[in-house]
Amino acid sequence: MSQPELRDEVEMLSLMLLIRRFEERASQQYQAQKIGGFCHLYIGQEAVVIGAIAATRHDDYLITAYRDHAHALGRGTSANACMAEMFGKATGCSRGLGGSMHYFDKANHMYGGHAIVGAHIPLAAGMAFASKYRGEDRVTLCFFGDGAINQGAFHEAFNLAALYKLPVIFICENNLYAMGTSVERSTSLKQIVDRAEGYEMPGFVADGMNFRDVRDKLTEVIDAIRKDPHPAFVEIRTYRYRGHSMSDPASYRTKEQLEKYRMDDPITRLRAQLTREGKLSNEQFDAMDKAAKETALASVKFAEESAELPLEELYNYTYVGADGATLARAMSTDAPPL
Amino acid sequence: MTMREITYRQALNEALAEELERDPNVFLMGEEVAQYNGAYKISQGLLDRFGPSRIIDTPISENGFAGMGIGAAMVGLRPIVEFMTFSFSLVAFDQVVNNAPNMLTMSGGQFNVPITFRGPNGPAHQIGATHMHATEPLYANFPGLKICTPATPRDAKGLLKTAIRDDNPVLVLEAELLYSSKGLVEPEGHELLIPLGQAEIKRQGSDVTIICYAQTVPMALAAAEALEEEEISAEVLDLRSIKPLDMEAILNSVAKTHRVVIAEQDRPYCGIGSELCYRIQKEIFDELDAPIARVAQEDVAMPYNERLEKAVLPSAAKIVTAVKKVCYA
C-alpha cells in the first residue's frame, strides 16, 4: 500500500495546487472582465474534493453545486476547458453555454455543475438509482454546501435514497456560510451531520482542511456502500477564503476567523505531512507549484484564443434529434432564416 | 386490421406495457403506481407483470422523485414519471422546467434527458381551485420541453409510446375527464406511434375552424354537430401536441374556412390561444374574414360550487356561441 499511496498523495497535492492556481487566475480574469456572470471560488476547500476523489474510482458518478471548478479539475477536465468555459468559448467543457456554475464533462463522469441550491440532490439519487437498477457497483458522490440542507429537495432526496437504499454519498461542504448567512442563523441543528439521523442514514464528520482525514473517512464509507448499497452522509468542515462569489467582500466574517483557517491551509498541511515523512522535497513542491501556475496561465491564453460557438448553432442545443434545431427555431417568434 | 373499441385508460395502459416490454431501460415511478395499481388505474396490472424494480411506488414527494427521474435519465435510463395530477407537478416545477429541459444546453450538448412526465391534467369536476390546473401554458413557455395533449384513446396510446421513445423530456398531459371515454384503436401488438407535432382533423368542415385539444375536443365535436343543424359546417382541428405545434395544419384549415374559434381548456390570459392567435394573424392575416374568437376558462380561481364551476369552464354551448359570432350568424 505505501508505494501507491505515496505516489497518489503527491499527485493529489499537485491537483490541489492546480485548483488553487487556476482559481487565482480566474479571479484575476474576472476582475479584468474577461469572465461574465457569477464566479464562485473554491480556494481553501481544495482538500474536500481531492480527498473525495482520492477515495473513489474514476467511473463513480460525481455531481455538485455551482462552486464546481475544483470538481471538474479534480476529475480530469483540463484547465484549458475549464477556463474556456468561463470565457464563454466553444472549447469550454460545456461549449461556453454553461458558464462557471455549469461545468459538465461526461467522459470524466462529471455530471454538473448545478446552480439552483439543492436541486441537484434528487438528481444524485436518480443516478444512484440507475447504478442499482443496472446492478453496477458505482457510487454516486453528491456535493453541496451548508446552504442546501434546508431545501426541500435535500430532504426529499435523503428520504428517497434511504427508502430505496441507493448507493450515494451525500457530502456537505460546510464552509460555515450560505452566501452571507451563517449556519447558526440558518439551521435548527447545532451539527449538520445530525440531519442523517432523521433518515436513519449513517453520518460522519471529516476535517475538510485535512486531505488525509477526508480521504480516509470517505474510503471507509465508500467501501461499505460498494459492499451493500446504501446512502451515507458526510459533513466535511471547511472554509472558503474568498467571498461567496467574486462580488462579495465577505464583510460578515472577521479577519481573525479567516486568518485562523488560513493558518490551517490544506495545501500547506499536506505538504508539511509529506515533507516530514520524507515523501516530498522542497524542490519537488516548487516544481509542482510552478507547473500549476504555468498550466493556469496557459489556460488563459487558450481561452482567449479560442473561438465562440457560431451564431448559427444557437438552435442546436434545445432539443436532441434530427429535427431539434428546426423545432427550436419554429417555436421562436421570428427566428432568422437558415 | 380490425380496430377495437377500448377506453382511454386502457390505451394508456397498453402503451406503458408495450414500452416496458420493449426496452429494459424503461421504468415507471410515481405515487400509487404499483401496489395500488394507479390512482386512476392507468398502471393496472403492471406491477404483477414487470415487478417492483420497474414499477416503483414513491412517497408523496414530487420534487424528489421528479428529480430522481431526471438523474436516472442523465445516465441512460428512460423513466416514466407519473404525477397523480399535473396540479401536483407544480410542487416539482423547478425539476420539470429548470433541470429537465436545460440540461442539454447547460452541458453543451453532452446530456439529454429522455424522460416522460405523464398524468391527468386540466379541469376535473368539483375538486376546487388547487387540483384542476391546466398546466400546458406554463410548461409551453420553457424551451426544451415537448408537450402533447391526447383527446382520444388512439391518440393517447400513440402519443405516449412516441413520448417514451423521444430522447427529450416530454410531458404527456392526459385528459382526466376522458379516462373512461371509448374509441377505436388498432389491435394490441400493432405498433401505434403517432408523431409529436401532428394535428388531426377530427371532423371536416368548410365554414369555420374550431381549434381544440384534450378535453375541448369532444366539446368541439358536439358543438360542430349542433351547428350542422343550423347549416354551419365546422371543421374540428385537434392539435394533439402543443409543442411542437403543427402550424401547417392550422394554416391549411384556416385558409379553407377563413374563420377561427379556439377552444382551450386553460385560462385565457397568456393561454395557448393567445399564442395561436398571434401566429395565425402573423402568417395569414388576409385569409381571416372575422376576428378570432376564444373559448377558455374564466380568469378566476376554480370554484367548488357546481353551477359556478360550469360557468368558468369551456363547453359545447360556449363554442357554439363563439362560432356564431365569428360567422356573423
Side-chain angles (χ1 to χ4, degrees):
Chain A
M1 271 302 283
S2 65
Q3 274 313 97
E5 198 175 296
L6 173 79
R7 192 178 63 234
D8 284 344
E9 286 193 327
V10 174
E11 191 190 318
M12 294 296 121
L13 179 62
S14 74
L15 274 174
M16 287 164 66
L17 273 167
L18 174 64
I19 291 165
R20 182 156 305 180
R21 299 310 180 206
F22 174 86
E23 289 211 313
E24 286 168 354
R25 278 288 165 203
S27 166
Q28 187 192 52
Q29 294 302 308
Y30 189 90
Q31 276 153 354
Q33 296 185 316
K34 293 287 178 64
I35 294 170
F38 297 133
C39 182
H40 308 87
L41 300 181
Y42 197 71
I43 294 175
Q45 301 184 205
E46 294 91 343
V48 178
V49 77
I50 298 304
I53 279 166
T56 44
R57 294 195 318 232
H58 188 252
D59 70 340
D60 287 328
Y61 296 141
L62 188 155
I63 186 167
T64 188
Y66 49 82
R67 200 178 298 284
D68 59 352
H69 308 157
H71 302 74
L73 288 167
R75 259 306 162 89
T77 309
S78 71
N80 284 354
C82 288
M83 192 63 81
E85 186 57 35
M86 280 191 270
F87 276 59
K89 299 298 181 73
T91 51
C93 56
S94 302
R95 300 200 194 185
L97 298 175
S100 164
M101 304 192 289
H102 306 117
Y103 278 17
F104 287 81
D105 185 351
K106 196 173 196 172
N108 284 307
H109 299 288
M110 162 66 177
Y111 292 85
H114 296 270
I116 299 294
V117 173
H120 67 293
I121 308 176
L123 267 50
M127 289 154 58
F129 172 87
S131 308
K132 193 171 175 179
Y133 186 90
R134 291 192 283 239
E136 302 162 350
D137 70 343
R138 277 183 223 259
V139 171
T140 295
L141 289 95
C142 176
F143 295 84
F144 46 85
D146 47 278
I149 67 161
N150 301 309
Q151 276 282 36
F154 165 98
H155 290 276
E156 294 192 27
F158 266 48
N159 182 57
L160 290 163
L163 188 68
Y164 301 133
K165 297 187 171 54
L166 303 178
V168 54
I169 176 162
F170 295 114
I171 298 170
C172 177
E173 302 196 49
N174 177 9
N175 63 20
L176 309 179
Y177 294 90
M179 202 167 154
T181 303
S182 65
V183 172
E184 314 75 274
R185 292 206 298 128
S186 67
T187 302
S188 61
L189 295 171
K190 283 195 181 62
Q191 294 211 97
I192 287 175
V193 67
D194 292 342
R195 281 267 188 268
E197 274 181 36
Y199 301 95
E200 296 187 359
M201 200 184 282
F204 307 87
V205 176
D207 175 3
M209 308 311 272
N210 184 345
F211 164 83
R212 287 178 174 175
D213 192 52
V214 174
R215 179 199 55 195
D216 294 347
K217 293 238 168 74
L218 292 192
T219 301
E220 194 183 318
V221 176
I222 286 162
D223 283 352
I225 294 176
R226 272 199 230 286
K227 280 185 200 118
D228 173 31
H230 65 273
F233 182 39
V234 184
E235 176 194 348
I236 303 188
R237 294 176 182 161
T238 183
Y239 200 76
R240 61 170 150 79
Y241 296 173
R242 306 294 184 93
H244 162 71
S245 69
M246 287 298 297
S247 57
D248 170 23
S251 53
Y252 43 85
R253 311 189 302 197
T254 61
K255 277 192 181 129
E256 292 71 31
Q257 187 186 47
L258 176 59
E259 273 320 299
K260 185 186 111 182
Y261 281 97
R262 273 187 191 280
M263 296 298 285
D264 196 19
D265 183 76
I267 292 178
T268 311
R269 183 191 289 210
L270 180 56
R271 177 192 179 179
Q273 285 165 333
L274 291 167
T275 307
R276 197 162 52 236
E277 292 159 13
K279 295 168 181 169
L280 179 72
S281 67
N282 287 338
E283 292 72 28
Q284 265 178 293
F285 180 84
D286 291 344
M288 272 163 41
D289 195 24
K290 187 161 174 273
K293 284 175 177 164
E294 283 168 2
T295 303
L297 185 60
S299 76
V300 172
K301 186 163 184 284
F302 174 83
E304 273 176 337
E305 289 171 358
S306 289
E308 295 176 3
L309 267 191
L311 270 181
E312 301 78 69
E313 287 198 31
L314 177 62
Y315 302 96
N316 293 2
Y317 298 90
T318 302
Y319 298 96
V320 282
D323 60 347
T326 311
L327 173 53
R329 231 168 222 289
M331 303 314 294
S332 298
T333 300
D334 285 297
L338 282 162
Chain B
M1 186 165 48
T2 317
M3 302 284 272
R4 308 160 295 150
E5 188 171 69
I6 60 171
T7 61
Y8 190 107
R9 174 182 288 109
Q10 175 68 26
L12 290 168
N13 181 272
E14 284 182 9
L16 292 173
E18 287 175 19
E19 294 309 302
L20 282 156
E21 188 66 55
R22 180 179 167 271
D23 183 351
N25 286 324
V26 173
F27 67 97
L28 172 70
M29 70 193 301
E31 294 150 4
E32 310 290 3
V33 299
Q35 293 192 20
Y36 194 85
N37 281 298
Y40 292 90
K41 305 299 169 201
I42 306 302
S43 55
Q44 182 87 47
L46 297 181
L47 174 65
D48 284 348
R49 187 162 162 198
F50 297 101
S53 65
R54 299 184 66 200
I55 309 297
I56 298 151
D57 277 327
T58 66
I60 300 170
S61 193
E62 286 87 1
N63 189 17
F65 67 75
M68 246 184 88
I70 294 165
M74 282 176 74
V75 295
L77 298 187
R78 304 186 78 88
I80 304 165
V81 171
E82 175 174 313
F83 290 120
M84 194 183 283
T85 124
F86 264 89
S87 291
F88 303 163
S89 78
L90 301 180
V91 179
F93 198 62
D94 180 56
Q95 294 296 341
V96 180
V97 306
N98 229 345
N99 277 344
N102 284 345
M103 208 65 74
L104 188 70
T105 298
M106 290 194 302
S107 67
Q110 292 177 85
F111 292 100
N112 62 307
V113 178
I115 192 169
T116 303
F117 294 107
R118 53 152 293 272
N121 168 71
H125 188 48
Q126 280 204 289
I127 48 180
T130 57
H131 276 52
M132 42 200 288
H133 290 286
T135 60
E136 56 275 14
L138 304 181
Y139 290 120
N141 202 234
F142 288 90
L145 294 176
K146 294 184 180 181
I147 300 164
C148 60
T149 50
T152 66
R154 183 173 185 274
D155 291 343
K157 182 171 180 182
L159 288 169
L160 177 53
K161 281 170 66 80
T162 303
I164 295 166
R165 295 188 197 185
D166 200 290
D167 288 329
N168 298 284
V170 184
L171 275 57
V172 181
L173 305 181
E174 299 158 9
E176 178 168 344
L177 292 176
L178 303 180
Y179 274 156
S180 296
S181 66
K182 288 183 176 168
L184 293 175
V185 179
E186 283 82 346
E188 236 177 313
H190 173 88
E191 195 75 287
L192 177 62
L193 293 165
I194 296 174
L196 299 172
Q198 275 189 14
E200 187 179 66
I201 295 173
K202 290 287 199 276
R203 180 190 170 112
Q204 299 274 352
S206 53
D207 296 329
V208 60
T209 299
I210 305 173
I211 302 174
C212 52
Y213 63 89
Q215 294 184 172
T216 56
V217 174
M219 292 173 200
L221 287 168
E225 200 160 312
L227 287 160
E228 202 175 49
E229 288 167 21
E230 307 194 30
E231 296 189 338
I232 295 174
S233 165
E235 178 144 295
V236 175
L237 182 67
D238 175 5
L239 294 177
R240 299 203 290 192
S241 295
I242 300 294
K243 199 175 191 178
L245 181 67
D246 190 348
M247 268 317 286
E248 200 186 333
I250 294 170
L251 298 178
N252 286 342
S253 180
V254 176
K256 183 169 78 171
T257 63
H258 310 290
R259 294 167 200 274
V260 184
V261 169
I262 300 167
E264 57 196 288
Q265 63 181 14
D266 61 352
R267 286 180 282 252
Y269 195 78
C270 299
I272 298 301
S274 318
E275 181 67 24
L276 296 178
C277 286
Y278 167 73
R279 285 176 184 258
I280 293 167
Q281 63 80 31
K282 178 180 155 230
E283 297 295 334
I284 50 169
F285 184 77
D286 289 344
E287 293 283 357
L288 290 171
D289 286 347
I292 298 170
R294 290 172 68 195
V295 177
Q297 293 186 31
E298 297 304 298
D299 196 30
V300 296
M302 191 66 74
Y304 161 74
N305 174 277
E306 193 171 23
R307 196 164 59 96
L308 293 178
E309 181 188 79
K310 197 178 162 203
V312 170
L313 292 174
S315 65
K318 287 182 182 181
I319 296 170
V320 167
T321 305
V323 166
K324 286 183 181 170
K325 197 173 148 200
V326 301
C327 292
Y328 307 118

mmCIF file of all heavy atoms in Angstrom, chain B residues 42-66:
data_model
loop_
_atom_site.group_PDB
_atom_site.id
_atom_site.type_symbol
_atom_site.label_atom_id
_atom_site.label_comp_id
_atom_site.label_asym_id
_atom_site.label_seq_id
_atom_site.Cartn_x
_atom_site.Cartn_y
_atom_site.Cartn_z
ATOM 1 N N ILE B 42 -54.298 3.655 -14.341
ATOM 2 C CA ILE B 42 -53.595 3.631 -15.625
ATOM 3 C C ILE B 42 -52.531 2.524 -15.619
ATOM 4 O O ILE B 42 -52.249 1.913 -16.638
ATOM 5 C CB ILE B 42 -52.934 5.014 -15.919
ATOM 6 C CG1 ILE B 42 -53.959 6.143 -15.830
ATOM 7 C CG2 ILE B 42 -52.234 5.011 -17.278
ATOM 8 C CD1 ILE B 42 -55.136 6.031 -16.749
ATOM 9 N N SER B 43 -51.953 2.277 -14.448
ATOM 10 C CA SER B 43 -50.882 1.271 -14.371
ATOM 11 C C SER B 43 -51.401 -0.088 -13.878
ATOM 12 O O SER B 43 -50.622 -0.914 -13.395
ATOM 13 C CB SER B 43 -49.758 1.783 -13.458
ATOM 14 O OG SER B 43 -50.276 2.132 -12.191
ATOM 15 N N GLN B 44 -52.681 -0.329 -14.032
ATOM 16 C CA GLN B 44 -53.298 -1.589 -13.601
ATOM 17 C C GLN B 44 -52.527 -2.805 -14.132
ATOM 18 O O GLN B 44 -52.288 -2.915 -15.338
ATOM 19 C CB GLN B 44 -54.732 -1.635 -14.143
ATOM 20 C CG GLN B 44 -55.538 -2.858 -13.740
ATOM 21 C CD GLN B 44 -56.241 -2.662 -12.408
ATOM 22 O OE1 GLN B 44 -56.874 -1.630 -12.188
ATOM 23 N NE2 GLN B 44 -56.121 -3.627 -11.521
ATOM 24 N N GLY B 45 -52.122 -3.662 -13.205
ATOM 25 C CA GLY B 45 -51.501 -4.924 -13.621
ATOM 26 C C GLY B 45 -50.014 -4.848 -13.942
ATOM 27 O O GLY B 45 -49.372 -5.872 -14.155
ATOM 28 N N LEU B 46 -49.460 -3.650 -13.981
ATOM 29 C CA LEU B 46 -48.062 -3.533 -14.409
ATOM 30 C C LEU B 46 -47.089 -4.056 -13.355
ATOM 31 O O LEU B 46 -46.045 -4.614 -13.689
ATOM 32 C CB LEU B 46 -47.723 -2.084 -14.786
ATOM 33 C CG LEU B 46 -48.509 -1.507 -15.972
ATOM 34 C CD1 LEU B 46 -48.066 -0.066 -16.255
ATOM 35 C CD2 LEU B 46 -48.328 -2.356 -17.228
ATOM 36 N N LEU B 47 -47.417 -3.868 -12.080
ATOM 37 C CA LEU B 47 -46.534 -4.389 -11.034
ATOM 38 C C LEU B 47 -46.431 -5.913 -11.139
ATOM 39 O O LEU B 47 -45.335 -6.477 -11.104
ATOM 40 C CB LEU B 47 -47.047 -3.980 -9.638
ATOM 41 C CG LEU B 47 -46.276 -4.596 -8.461
ATOM 42 C CD1 LEU B 47 -44.833 -4.112 -8.425
ATOM 43 C CD2 LEU B 47 -46.972 -4.273 -7.139
ATOM 44 N N ASP B 48 -47.568 -6.560 -11.318
ATOM 45 C CA ASP B 48 -47.569 -8.027 -11.431
ATOM 46 C C ASP B 48 -46.743 -8.477 -12.631
ATOM 47 O O ASP B 48 -46.033 -9.476 -12.570
ATOM 48 C CB ASP B 48 -49.005 -8.541 -11.599
ATOM 49 C CG ASP B 48 -49.758 -8.507 -10.281
ATOM 50 O OD1 ASP B 48 -49.098 -8.310 -9.234
ATOM 51 O OD2 ASP B 48 -50.994 -8.655 -10.301
ATOM 52 N N ARG B 49 -46.837 -7.717 -13.683
ATOM 53 C CA ARG B 49 -46.184 -8.136 -14.914
ATOM 54 C C ARG B 49 -44.692 -7.803 -14.940
ATOM 55 O O ARG B 49 -43.888 -8.592 -15.427
ATOM 56 C CB ARG B 49 -46.903 -7.471 -16.084
ATOM 57 C CG ARG B 49 -46.429 -7.951 -17.421
ATOM 58 C CD ARG B 49 -47.435 -7.621 -18.509
ATOM 59 N NE ARG B 49 -46.790 -7.709 -19.802
ATOM 60 C CZ ARG B 49 -47.265 -7.172 -20.921
ATOM 61 N NH1 ARG B 49 -48.408 -6.504 -20.867
ATOM 62 N NH2 ARG B 49 -46.617 -7.294 -22.062
ATOM 63 N N PHE B 50 -44.334 -6.627 -14.421
ATOM 64 C CA PHE B 50 -42.936 -6.189 -14.574
ATOM 65 C C PHE B 50 -42.142 -6.145 -13.265
ATOM 66 O O PHE B 50 -40.929 -5.939 -13.291
ATOM 67 C CB PHE B 50 -42.889 -4.821 -15.266
ATOM 68 C CG PHE B 50 -43.446 -4.857 -16.663
ATOM 69 C CD1 PHE B 50 -44.733 -4.405 -16.925
ATOM 70 C CD2 PHE B 50 -42.687 -5.384 -17.704
ATOM 71 C CE1 PHE B 50 -45.248 -4.458 -18.219
ATOM 72 C CE2 PHE B 50 -43.200 -5.438 -19.002
ATOM 73 C CZ PHE B 50 -44.486 -4.977 -19.255
ATOM 74 N N GLY B 51 -42.815 -6.312 -12.156
ATOM 75 C CA GLY B 51 -42.112 -6.422 -10.873
ATOM 76 C C GLY B 51 -41.735 -5.091 -10.257
ATOM 77 O O GLY B 51 -41.762 -4.049 -10.914
ATOM 78 N N PRO B 52 -41.380 -5.147 -8.966
ATOM 79 C CA PRO B 52 -41.154 -3.916 -8.198
ATOM 80 C C PRO B 52 -39.888 -3.154 -8.556
ATOM 81 O O PRO B 52 -39.730 -2.003 -8.159
ATOM 82 C CB PRO B 52 -41.088 -4.410 -6.749
ATOM 83 C CG PRO B 52 -40.706 -5.842 -6.851
ATOM 84 C CD PRO B 52 -41.259 -6.352 -8.147
ATOM 85 N N SER B 53 -38.971 -3.761 -9.305
ATOM 86 C CA SER B 53 -37.785 -2.991 -9.669
ATOM 87 C C SER B 53 -38.096 -2.025 -10.815
ATOM 88 O O SER B 53 -37.351 -1.080 -11.054
ATOM 89 C CB SER B 53 -36.628 -3.913 -10.045
ATOM 90 O OG SER B 53 -36.959 -4.639 -11.208
ATOM 91 N N ARG B 54 -39.199 -2.250 -11.518
ATOM 92 C CA ARG B 54 -39.514 -1.389 -12.668
ATOM 93 C C ARG B 54 -40.813 -0.617 -12.507
ATOM 94 O O ARG B 54 -41.062 0.325 -13.268
ATOM 95 C CB ARG B 54 -39.549 -2.222 -13.957
ATOM 96 C CG ARG B 54 -38.195 -2.874 -14.239
ATOM 97 C CD ARG B 54 -38.180 -3.614 -15.542
ATOM 98 N NE ARG B 54 -38.327 -2.713 -16.669
ATOM 99 C CZ ARG B 54 -38.722 -3.115 -17.874
ATOM 100 N NH1 ARG B 54 -39.020 -4.391 -18.078
ATOM 101 N NH2 ARG B 54 -38.809 -2.248 -18.866
ATOM 102 N N ILE B 55 -41.626 -1.035 -11.578
ATOM 103 C CA ILE B 55 -42.868 -0.297 -11.298
ATOM 104 C C ILE B 55 -42.749 0.135 -9.837
ATOM 105 O O ILE B 55 -42.860 -0.685 -8.919
ATOM 106 C CB ILE B 55 -44.124 -1.179 -11.514
ATOM 107 C CG1 ILE B 55 -44.077 -1.868 -12.892
ATOM 108 C CG2 ILE B 55 -45.401 -0.342 -11.348
ATOM 109 C CD1 ILE B 55 -44.092 -0.932 -14.090
ATOM 110 N N ILE B 56 -42.482 1.420 -9.642
ATOM 111 C CA ILE B 56 -41.975 1.849 -8.345
ATOM 112 C C ILE B 56 -42.897 2.848 -7.664
ATOM 113 O O ILE B 56 -43.155 3.949 -8.171
ATOM 114 C CB ILE B 56 -40.562 2.459 -8.534
ATOM 115 C CG1 ILE B 56 -39.628 1.382 -9.094
ATOM 116 C CG2 ILE B 56 -40.018 3.014 -7.220
ATOM 117 C CD1 ILE B 56 -38.520 1.918 -9.936
ATOM 118 N N ASP B 57 -43.385 2.446 -6.507
ATOM 119 C CA ASP B 57 -44.168 3.367 -5.684
ATOM 120 C C ASP B 57 -43.243 4.388 -5.041
ATOM 121 O O ASP B 57 -42.180 4.023 -4.528
ATOM 122 C CB ASP B 57 -44.877 2.583 -4.565
ATOM 123 C CG ASP B 57 -46.176 1.961 -5.035
ATOM 124 O OD1 ASP B 57 -46.841 2.560 -5.905
ATOM 125 O OD2 ASP B 57 -46.531 0.875 -4.519
ATOM 126 N N THR B 58 -43.664 5.633 -5.043
ATOM 127 C CA THR B 58 -42.875 6.675 -4.385
ATOM 128 C C THR B 58 -43.682 7.260 -3.239
ATOM 129 O O THR B 58 -44.907 7.172 -3.228
ATOM 130 C CB THR B 58 -42.568 7.833 -5.345
ATOM 131 O OG1 THR B 58 -43.799 8.479 -5.686
ATOM 132 C CG2 THR B 58 -41.880 7.354 -6.607
ATOM 133 N N PRO B 59 -42.991 7.869 -2.293
ATOM 134 C CA PRO B 59 -43.726 8.667 -1.307
ATOM 135 C C PRO B 59 -44.296 9.925 -1.976
ATOM 136 O O PRO B 59 -43.989 10.204 -3.143
ATOM 137 C CB PRO B 59 -42.655 9.034 -0.281
ATOM 138 C CG PRO B 59 -41.348 8.753 -0.896
ATOM 139 C CD PRO B 59 -41.551 7.868 -2.078
ATOM 140 N N ILE B 60 -45.104 10.659 -1.261
ATOM 141 C CA ILE B 60 -45.642 11.929 -1.775
ATOM 142 C C ILE B 60 -44.515 12.937 -1.690
ATOM 143 O O ILE B 60 -44.268 13.535 -0.641
ATOM 144 C CB ILE B 60 -46.865 12.365 -0.947
ATOM 145 C CG1 ILE B 60 -47.945 11.281 -1.043
ATOM 146 C CG2 ILE B 60 -47.403 13.710 -1.440
ATOM 147 C CD1 ILE B 60 -49.103 11.474 -0.090
ATOM 148 N N SER B 61 -43.796 13.069 -2.779
ATOM 149 C CA SER B 61 -42.507 13.743 -2.757
ATOM 150 C C SER B 61 -42.143 14.129 -4.189
ATOM 151 O O SER B 61 -41.112 13.709 -4.714
ATOM 152 C CB SER B 61 -41.493 12.750 -2.157
ATOM 153 O OG SER B 61 -40.289 13.356 -1.812
ATOM 154 N N GLU B 62 -43.030 14.914 -4.816
ATOM 155 C CA GLU B 62 -42.916 15.134 -6.273
ATOM 156 C C GLU B 62 -41.577 15.733 -6.677
ATOM 157 O O GLU B 62 -40.977 15.332 -7.666
ATOM 158 C CB GLU B 62 -44.056 16.030 -6.774
ATOM 159 C CG GLU B 62 -45.423 15.349 -6.850
ATOM 160 C CD GLU B 62 -46.193 15.414 -5.557
ATOM 161 O OE1 GLU B 62 -45.683 16.012 -4.572
ATOM 162 O OE2 GLU B 62 -47.312 14.866 -5.498
ATOM 163 N N ASN B 63 -41.124 16.724 -5.939
ATOM 164 C CA ASN B 63 -39.844 17.356 -6.279
ATOM 165 C C ASN B 63 -38.726 16.311 -6.240
ATOM 166 O O ASN B 63 -37.869 16.264 -7.118
ATOM 167 C CB ASN B 63 -39.578 18.496 -5.281
ATOM 168 C CG ASN B 63 -38.396 19.353 -5.662
ATOM 169 O OD1 ASN B 63 -37.942 19.339 -6.798
ATOM 170 N ND2 ASN B 63 -37.890 20.106 -4.709
ATOM 171 N N GLY B 64 -38.781 15.462 -5.233
ATOM 172 C CA GLY B 64 -37.763 14.425 -5.071
ATOM 173 C C GLY B 64 -37.796 13.403 -6.196
ATOM 174 O O GLY B 64 -36.787 13.138 -6.837
ATOM 175 N N PHE B 65 -38.966 12.832 -6.462
ATOM 176 C CA PHE B 65 -38.949 11.738 -7.455
ATOM 177 C C PHE B 65 -38.886 12.247 -8.891
ATOM 178 O O PHE B 65 -38.352 11.549 -9.760
ATOM 179 C CB PHE B 65 -40.053 10.694 -7.219
ATOM 180 C CG PHE B 65 -41.482 11.117 -7.416
ATOM 181 C CD1 PHE B 65 -42.013 11.299 -8.677
ATOM 182 C CD2 PHE B 65 -42.321 11.268 -6.312
ATOM 183 C CE1 PHE B 65 -43.348 11.650 -8.846
ATOM 184 C CE2 PHE B 65 -43.651 11.627 -6.476
ATOM 185 C CZ PHE B 65 -44.165 11.815 -7.750
ATOM 186 N N ALA B 66 -39.360 13.465 -9.134
ATOM 187 C CA ALA B 66 -39.180 14.030 -10.482
ATOM 188 C C ALA B 66 -37.682 14.221 -10.740
ATOM 189 O O ALA B 66 -37.166 13.891 -11.810
ATOM 190 C CB ALA B 66 -39.921 15.352 -10.618
#
